Amino acid sequence: DKAINIMQQCVGIQKQHLPTSRRDLCASLNNLATYYSKKGMLHKAIGTLEECLASIRTFLPPEHPDIGATLWNLGNAYKKAKNVVKATKLFRECLSVREKRLHATHPDVIAV
């Protein structure tokens, strides 16, 4: 798929020229993972989101909304891959992050 090739090239260039602690790189990884997931390439989506999560945890505080969003995306990928145990663990962690930063009635907290 041409779009995947372009996105992979973009991530490759970013990895060569940006520190892994850049939000731009994590955003690109997240976008690539979303595309993988939509194409049914769940093992690649999960691996890419795991890489993104590991990276953002090195430079963002534990309760940062981007960490919550990545946990949510990763949980959804595991859910699609039929790994309910791992998905549930990630959704619970996402909820914990969101509850620390947002009000209990916030749509992002309710969604979890």
Side-chain angles (χ1 to χ4, degrees):
D1 184 296
K2 197 172 191 175
I4 288 177
N5 289 336
I6 292 169
M7 292 173 83
Q8 288 170 332
Q9 288 175 358
C10 177
V11 167
I13 291 168
Q14 287 179 313
K15 284 181 177 180
Q16 284 180 327
H17 299 286
L18 296 175
T20 57
S21 61
R22 286 289 303 257
R23 289 175 83 173
D24 297 344
L25 174 58
C26 293
S28 294
L29 287 169
N30 199 9
N31 292 339
L32 179 59
T34 299
Y35 199 79
Y36 283 147
S37 184
K38 287 182 180 181
K39 290 292 188 176
M41 303 166 74
L42 297 174
H43 64 286
K44 286 189 173 194
I46 289 168
T48 303
L49 285 166
E50 293 278 7
E51 179 182 353
C52 178
L53 184 61
S55 176
I56 62 174
R57 281 188 162 155
T58 66
F59 64 91
L60 291 177
E63 299 88 24
H64 195 279
D66 287 356
I67 290 178
T70 304
L71 288 165
W72 176 259
N73 293 340
L74 187 55
N76 276 317
Y78 273 109
K79 181 180 169 186
K80 286 181 184 177
K82 309 289 189 228
N83 188 336
V84 179
V85 173
K86 184 73 172 176
T88 301
K89 178 180 178 275
L90 290 160
F91 288 142
R92 285 186 178 139
E93 189 176 352
C94 172
L95 179 60
S96 175
V97 168
R98 288 180 175 178
E99 285 178 331
K100 290 176 185 170
R101 295 287 290 221
L102 305 170
H103 190 272
T105 59
H106 190 281
D108 285 349
V109 173
I110 294 170
V112 179

